[in-house]
Amino acid sequence: MASDRISPTAHYTAHVWYRNGLSHRALATAQGRLLFHALRPMNLASRQVGTPTLEGFLLARHHEINRRLAELVASGKVQQVLEVAAGLSPRGWSFKKQFGDRLRYVEADLPQMADRKRALLARGNLVTQGHEVVNLDVLSIAGPSSLGEVVKTLDREKGLAIVTEGLLNYFPRDQVQTLWSVFAQALHAFPQGIYLSDLHLRAQNLGLSTDLFRKLLARFVRGGVHLHYANEADAERALLEAGFSNAKLHKAEAQANKQGLIDERGAGLVRIIEARTPR
């Protein structure tokens, strides 16, 4: 990746998860709390005028990925999860708490973020057997921090899910296609290979209000927010071309925040990828 710094979005998103009962306080940072309260007036104003909110789409995508991943683990199809660019995600902790020894959970990120995550998990006494954090540069072709080397540590006789959240729309389309090809190739080695991710499409991000929201988001993340694919069919076709045997994009259901407010428009901005590569 271009940078090993911890982005403001990682801190902010972690606080949104914690505030809404999805994370542990050990994973919520002071930076995230400051950002949350700084952006709260903007979110409230967006709700009042009916435009999407950051909190609304963050909750929707996280819940939908969690729901689909939990179904896969509960069914026995997936016994291992590799969360790429995991950031301050609580998913490793929460899924190990839910499924225990039935699941191995590996979180992967660039060294600075991985070190921070290990320290936070240790501070909160959240690390259990079968839950680990490893260094990974998802754009690295070879070497100890490449996806290929990380995947070698996993059991080839057990189903694997690769999860990314909040990653794809910050890369240009050619890099996304390369990532999908690398993920598909890795997953083909397992009896069940499933890829879950969020994705923003042009069809759901048109109009003055959503365009304004996307521009605000781009300023917040200090970079571009790319809309690579026109609609679900366009993205599903690209996933098949990358090497997945089947692919489907799902709507993310709106979720109530701590105040019980539901942001349908925020949820409508995002789709959840579920792509498979049976061996």
Side-chain angles (χ1 to χ4, degrees), residues 9 44 67 74 132 141 173 197 228 259 264:
T9 48
L44 291 173
R67 185 177 73 81
E132 59 201 280
I141 297 174
R173 178 168 177 153
S197 181
H228 316 100
Q259 287 75 37
E264 295 279 357

Side-chain angles (χ1 to χ4, degrees), residues 22-24 90-97 107 121 126 131:
L22 300 173
S23 186
H24 192 280
R91 194 170 283 118
W93 162 71
S94 65
F95 268 71
K96 283 296 293 181
K97 184 178 178 181
E107 301 187 51
L121 290 170
L126 305 183
H131 179 202

Side-chain angles (χ1 to χ4, degrees), residues 96-116:
K96 283 296 293 181
K97 184 178 178 181
Q98 181 177 357
F99 293 104
D101 293 339
R102 296 170 58 187
L103 181 68
R104 181 183 177 191
Y105 205 103
V106 179
E107 301 187 51
D109 216 316
L110 291 166
Q112 183 180 342
M113 185 72 252
D115 287 345
R116 181 72 176 270

